[in-house]
Amino acid sequence: SQQGEEDPQALSIQEGENATMNCSYKTSINNLQWYRQNSGRGLVHLILIRSNEREKHSGRLRVTLDTSKKSSSLLITASRAADTASYFCASRLTGTASKLTFGTGTRLQVTL
Amino acid sequence: NAGVTQTPKFRVLKTGQSMTLLCAQDMNHEYMYWYRQDPGMGLRLIHYSVGEGTTAKGEVPDGYNVSRLKKQNFLLGLESAAPSQTSVYFCASSFGTSGFFYNEQFFGPGTRLTVL
């Protein structure tokens, strides 16, 4: 199974609401990253959290990491229609030379 | 800067044909990667390179070969295409693991390949 499993697989919310998506992983990590993919495009890096960090913010994004539960969450506050995309977590496993293992993604739909 | 570019954008092959996908980056990145993306599977690493002249296998390397003759280019080859290789292929690049960047990856726009 995938190193990164994301939940939910799909999420539909209205503009202005908050969106939360979760990621679980199986083995020890060095860091965990979140990426966004707009339909038909490549992935774009959003935020990185290191294994010794518990929470990180970037604009409307808030990421948490719980290494004891091997899980991370991405919160997008005050969502906009432009946030409609797929979101992937990617973990860098301890001891791997710059390789990332991607989750299966959460498809977020933000409606007006 | 163009970032990471991929050619071609689309391609249709017949079973048994061969082709090469080209990835180029202008960010002087040491590391380059090839992924495939299939519905419901996320991205899976095919091959990667940690520097010019080096390559290594990823999670799903069978049926693919790669070459990194120049630092800025990373080629992915399919010697004998199979329908199971129908996918969207993404190239990515990153700095090394040291320093501030902590291997954030920069992605190209993708190549949509169909094998009939």
Side-chain angles (χ1 to χ4, degrees), chain A residues 39-96:
Chain A
S39 181
R41 310 291 287 272
L43 279 72
V44 175
H45 182 265
L46 293 176
I47 193 167
L48 179 152
I49 187 165
R50 299 171 197 168
S51 59
N52 62 351
E53 297 176 315
R54 291 298 167 257
E55 186 171 313
K56 203 161 183 180
H57 296 254
S58 177
R60 294 184 295 113
L61 305 180
R62 172 178 168 252
V63 171
T64 62
L65 180 64
D66 187 336
T67 53
S68 67
K69 295 182 179 178
K70 292 186 169 58
S71 67
S72 174
S73 67
L74 172 68
L75 169 67
I76 304 174
T77 60
S79 62
R80 306 165 181 167
D83 295 328
T84 294
S86 291
Y87 293 81
F88 295 88
C89 67
S91 52
R92 180 186 163 194
L93 307 184
T94 302
T96 59

Side-chain angles (χ1 to χ4, degrees), chain A residues 2 31 33 35 37 40-43 45 48 50 88 92 97-100 102-104, chain B residues 31 33 35 37 40-43 45 48 90 94-95 97 102-105 107-109:
Chain A
Q2 294 280 326
N31 65 61
Q33 305 175 30
Y35 288 78
Q37 183 180 34
R41 310 291 287 272
L43 279 72
H45 182 265
L48 179 152
R50 299 171 197 168
F88 295 88
R92 180 186 163 194
S98 202
K99 291 189 295 182
L100 295 178
F102 284 83
T104 51
Chain B
Y31 291 13
Y33 315 82
Y35 295 92
Q37 184 176 34
M41 300 284 290
L43 272 75
L45 183 65
Y48 65 102
F90 287 99
S94 71
F95 288 105
T97 55
Y102 281 87
N103 79 299
E104 167 192 348
Q105 294 187 10
F107 282 79

Side-chain angles (χ1 to χ4, degrees), chain A residues 23-34:
Chain A
C23 169
S24 62
Y25 58 91
K26 294 183 171 56
T27 58
S28 177
I29 63 170
N30 180 289
N31 65 61
L32 189 139
Q33 305 175 30
W34 287 88

Side-chain angles (χ1 to χ4, degrees), chain B residues 9-87:
Chain B
K9 289 185 170 52
F10 303 93
R11 186 73 185 269
V12 178
L13 291 178
K14 294 181 180 179
T15 297
Q17 287 185 318
S18 63
M19 77 163 296
T20 300
L21 283 67
L22 172 63
C23 175
Q25 52 93 7
D26 61 2
M27 296 173 283
N28 201 33
H29 285 168
E30 286 294 330
Y31 291 13
M32 296 187 75
Y33 315 82
W34 276 108
Y35 295 92
R36 60 177 290 172
Q37 184 176 34
D38 301 294
M41 300 284 290
L43 272 75
R44 292 183 291 170
L45 183 65
I46 304 171
H47 286 281
Y48 65 102
S49 168
V50 299
E52 181 178 319
T54 73
T55 62
K57 294 180 180 180
E59 183 185 356
V60 288
D62 293 342
Y64 305 95
N65 56 73
V66 287
S67 64
R68 182 98 181 269
L69 298 180
K70 294 182 178 181
K71 185 177 183 178
Q72 63 268 35
N73 295 338
F74 195 29
L75 278 63
L76 177 71
L78 285 72
E79 290 185 346
S80 180
S84 61
Q85 293 177 305
T86 294
S87 188

